Amino acid sequence: MPELPEVETVMRGLAKVLDGQQIHQAAVNREGLRWAFPPGLAQRLTGARVSGFRRRAKYMLMRLEGGDSVLIHLGMSGRMIITPAGMNTPPPKHEHLVMVTGGGQRVGFVDPRRFGAVDLMRTEEEDRHKLLAGLGPEPLDEAFDAKVLGAALAGKKTPIKAALLDQRIVAGLGNIYVSEALFRAGISPTRLAGAISGPGVKRLVEAIKEVLNQAINHGGSTLRDYVQADGEIGGFQDLFLVYDREGEPCPRCGAKSSISRIVQAGRSTFFCARCQK
Ligand SMILES: [Zn+2]
């Protein structure tokens, strides 16, 4: 499932094509995805000019000049496919929403498994939307610091891995970047969240920001269905230090220990039992 860096990358790709453009034509090809499309979606999009983009956690918000915002969630297998003007190719399979710019570029939301979502709201009400209202801080915001994370973790008796996956504590992280951040911070995924020291929380905040920024710089991680909006695949999976590297030597302590995999709350966690305390 795409996490923050993948969603950020897709959004930047969309912004390149759509920002400032008028949507000449829009159409939906089914009633909805995870939920029904909002009534009148195609009509509201048709003729509207895109005024900007915002990412919140794993959600993209495309803002329109009339004051509407379109929320796009890629879900498990969603991708945005851009077809340049003048290409006479048939529409991609499983294309559920399509927008064509005045310049003839075609942007389709393609989602074979249909866990994605599209919704419409007024821009000033974005943060009150049911999917966004309960989200914790954005990890790349300056306001997300050791004080904020420390306060959110205080007294928590859940493992730190689970706490960091909790979108109310910090927004946008998933299984990959939590494993990578905990390794970089030298913190065991099984440590109780409330028991991490002040310096440990500080290292964790730095590690989260570092791994997310590196991943964005590499266009995100490609495991299964993820592609950038321009069709390129992300490259950060080649730079994973622990994720999906069970049995390989630890990149920090080398041959002295290999990467372990445990299952926490039904999901794999990768870590070095020697380096992470
Ligand atoms: Zn190690």
Side-chain angles (χ1 to χ4, degrees):
M1 181 161 176
E3 301 180 30
L4 186 156
E6 291 77 43
V7 176
E8 178 72 26
T9 303
V10 168
M11 189 190 71
R12 290 181 184 184
L14 284 184
K16 263 190 217 161
V17 172
L18 289 175
D19 207 357
Q21 295 295 309
Q22 191 176 30
I23 299 169
H24 187 65
Q25 196 192 333
V28 295
N29 297 325
R30 56 180 303 114
E31 281 175 22
L33 299 168
R34 188 164 183 179
W35 298 290
F37 286 135
L41 176 64
Q43 291 88 324
R44 295 270 280 278
L45 285 168
T46 302
R49 189 174 294 277
V50 178
S51 61
F53 283 84
R54 174 196 178 198
R55 181 192 52 72
R56 179 73 173 108
K58 303 172 194 173
Y59 304 97
M60 295 181 276
L61 293 148
M62 179 175 77
R63 292 166 163 179
L64 306 177
E65 264 180 9
D68 283 329
S69 286
V70 182
L71 176 143
I72 302 171
H73 181 47
L74 297 172
M76 306 284 285
S77 58
R79 47 172 78 176
M80 306 302 301
I81 295 188
I82 295 168
T83 311
M87 293 258 292
N88 234 344
T89 48
K93 261 191 177 177
H94 307 290
E95 186 185 66
H96 308 307
L97 167 68
V98 57
M99 297 174 277
V100 182
T101 67
Q105 302 227 65
R106 180 193 171 91
V107 177
F109 185 11
V110 171
D111 186 3
R113 296 174 68 187
R114 302 203 300 266
F115 284 105
V118 177
D119 206 356
L120 198 56
M121 73 212 72
R122 297 297 291 169
T123 298
E124 68 267 21
E125 289 176 357
E126 284 174 357
D127 289 323
R128 289 200 285 278
H129 188 272
K130 63 178 186 222
L131 294 172
L132 307 187
L135 292 171
E138 280 294 318
L140 292 177
D141 277 2
E142 247 177 72
F144 179 71
D145 58 15
K147 205 173 149 196
V148 166
L149 183 61
L153 297 179
K156 285 239 169 289
K157 296 200 171 19
T158 50
I160 185 64
K161 162 85 187 299
L164 294 177
L165 288 176
D166 182 343
Q167 301 294 300
R168 295 167 299 183
I169 290 180
V170 55
L173 299 182
N175 221 32
I176 293 175
Y177 297 104
V178 168
S179 279
E180 290 293 315
L182 286 168
F183 176 75
R184 282 163 168 79
I187 294 171
S188 165
T190 62
R191 276 275 295 283
L192 293 188
I196 296 172
S197 67
V201 173
K202 189 162 177 285
R203 287 201 312 276
L204 191 49
V205 167
E206 285 163 5
I208 289 168
K209 290 178 191 275
E210 182 188 280
V211 71
L212 293 176
N213 279 319
Q214 280 178 2
I216 290 169
N217 289 339
H218 286 85
S221 304
T222 303
L223 296 178
R224 277 177 292 274
D225 297 310
Y226 169 71
V227 285
Q228 300 178 35
D230 60 6
E232 294 286 308
I233 61 169
F236 191 68
Q237 66 282 358
D238 298 332
L239 299 172
F240 290 161
L241 298 180
V242 289
Y243 188 83
D244 210 16
R245 298 212 177 281
E246 185 183 11
E248 294 182 25
C250 169
R252 186 174 298 140
C253 64
K256 294 182 189 117
S257 177
S258 60
I259 301 304
S260 308
R261 183 180 75 92
I262 54 171
V263 176
Q264 292 178 287
R267 320 226 13 220
S268 291
T269 304
F270 298 89
F271 69 109
C272 172
R274 193 165 181 274
C275 295
Q276 292 174 253
K277 301 289 177 200

